[in-house]
Structure formats: structure tokens, C-alpha cells
Amino acid sequence: MSALFESITLREVTIPNRVWMPPMCQYSAAPEGPLTGAPGDWHLAHYGARATGGTGLIVMEATAVAPEGRISPYDLGLWNDTQVEAFRRITGFLSAQGTVPGVQLAHAGRKASTDRTWKGGAPLGPEAGGWQPVAPSAVPFDERHPVPAELTVEQIREVVGRFAAAARRALAAGFEVVEIHGAHGYLINEFLSPHSNHRTDAYGGSYENRSRFALEVVDAVREVWPEDKPVFFRISATDWLKDGGWTTEDTVRFAHDLHAHGVDLLDVSTGGNASGVTIPTGPGYQVPFAARVKAESPLRVAAVGLITEAGQAEKIVTNGEADAVLLGRELLRNPSWARHAARELGGEIRVPDPYHRSV
């Protein structure tokens, strides 16, 4: 029996295999009008194809908890009930294929208000449909980005409430897993790292203060999310800075805190909070970070980052380096990667009845 195709149960949610799809922004939502931030036909076809292809869990792309928390005007959101109705169509289809639907709740912080990536991803001003980004400190991401407005304590509390409200809507929309986005240089990651957090109040300075906002978000989400459903947290395990940034040691320490606050799995990525850094990429280059968290904390972990081959993914799970693998670009290239891998590894996987000829 292939380890990659064994089910895994988190709380009372059983995911049929360990081949998971990570959040990958599609920048394809309506930027304005009554359906702003709502998923449409593109999202149904995109996620539906990966579900019929056998993916065990699909974590839908970064979904903003507030309009100003979007990476771009074309991002998804869960700040109103119209969006909830649009998501239901997709979660219903994924569930019908045996795929567990998940969603990543996010706030882009100082990296908000940018154009779509295939158009260069440059910051957008108000004249181009953009807005003023916010952050823990008035420190821009790089020379291209504007100086963000520093959040007040009252505004921080409002954002925490926005995460809770979005989690309630995620439940109403039919999601079984909710993931809190604390990676890639977005708002929660900005608070965690001393590279971007220069505050001198209760939300800055020490590790305990810098992690306060993240844990308040976790607590607020966990309070409204059912006890029988899991909460994930996505982390950038390192800023890839020699000094002055978030480190792997911080991540291991934080994993213990997350576990104590009711998080069930850490989705381990890296980078995104510091510009101009050199990241030594290669096949499975982020897996060692996931393996360390798994070895040194009580949390379940998922690994991501240039995992492309069935044997490679099987080895990661079999060796205990991670409990699951997240395939990004490879699932963009091949929506049926899971079915192909099952055939190669001798694993069992559900095949939709209309595709019976492919067995």
C-alpha cells in the first residue's frame, strides 16, 4: 500500500490521500461590482479539474478577509454573503468528487494593492483601482512598493475580528478545512518577523509580542470554527536572511505555540518577506524545514516546494518528513497528477464514473 494514498484524519475530517493542492492565486475574480471577490466559472473549472483528478485536499487560494486585504483587486474574498453563495457551488462539487475543500484566509498587509502577476505585479495606486496598504510598521516591502500605513491597536483588533467573520462565512460556504495565511510576507508574517515589525508596543519587539497578533487570529478563528474540523496555519519557516529575520528556530518554537492554541497542521513554506534575498531552490528544497518541525514539535506538517515526482512524494511521506505533500505548479501542469501517481505507486484512488475508461 502506498503511504501517499493512505487516508489521514484530522479531528473528524478524513482526507482520502496525502496529495494536496496548496493555495495558488488565480487573480481571476471580478475587481468591482456586486460580485467583487466572488469565485466564478474559472474557479469552478480550475478546482473542479483537480478534484476529478484525485487530489485529496484542495486549499483554495488566498481569500481576503477584507477588501483592503487583497493582494490584487482580482483576488477572492469572504467578507460578504454574496461571496459565500458563490463558493458553495465549488465546495459542493469538490465534496461530490471525494475531495476535501479547504480555504486559505488571508490579509496581504504591505504587499496588497498590486496588479496581476502576469502583468508584472506592480503596486496599483487609487487611480488604477488600488488602495493604501497597511502593515505592522510603516516600512515598505521594497523600493517599488509604497510606504504602508502603520496599523493602530484598534485596527489590529478589527483585523482579528475580520478573520473570525471570514471563518464563519467559510463554514457557511461548505469548507471543511480553514488555513490561516501566515507566510510569504503578508500581514501575519510581517508581524512575526523583526525584519518587517519595528513596533515598540505590545505587538512588537520580543518574540512573544511579535507572535501576539498571529495567535490572536488563531484564537479568534478557532473560537468560531467547529471543534470537529481542523485549522491549518501556513508559515514561512525562514526569511532567508543572515540576521534580523524570522528563523527556523523561531518556527519550531512557534509550532509549539500554535499547537497549544488549537492548530492541527503546519503548512511549511519559506521566504517572501524580504526582497532581494537569494533562495537556494531545487527539488524538495523546503522539505527539510517541514521535517524539522515534524521532528521537534507535536504538530502535523505538510511539505511544499518543487515536489514533482511520485517517487519523491512517496519518499517524503514514507520517511516521516511530512504527513502530506502540497503540489503547486505540478498540479497546474497536470490536474490528474494524483491518479497518475496512484497508478505508478500501486495506490488506490477514486475515479469519477464518467472517467471509468481511464482505469
Side-chain angles (χ1 to χ4, degrees), residues 2-4 6 8 18 265-266 268 286-303 307 311-325:
S2 164
L4 195 62
E6 290 181 359
I8 180 172
R18 316 299 180 95
L265 181 140
L266 195 63
V268 184
Q286 294 177 148
V287 174
F289 297 96
R292 181 168 176 185
V293 173
K294 184 167 175 59
E296 299 182 23
S297 85
L299 273 183
R300 301 285 190 97
V301 302
I307 300 169
Q312 175 195 20
E314 176 79 4
K315 183 178 178 182
I316 290 167
V317 176
T318 301
N319 290 352
E321 296 173 280
D323 296 284
V325 294

Side-chain angles (χ1 to χ4, degrees), residues 21-64:
M21 183 177 180
M24 290 179 284
C25 288
Q26 297 298 292
Y27 304 110
S28 297
E32 57 187 2
L35 294 178
T36 299
D41 289 346
W42 173 265
H43 301 90
L44 176 63
H46 170 64
Y47 292 112
R50 278 79 197 166
T52 57
T55 306
L57 166 70
I58 291 176
V59 184
M60 289 184 64
E61 63 202 82
T63 299

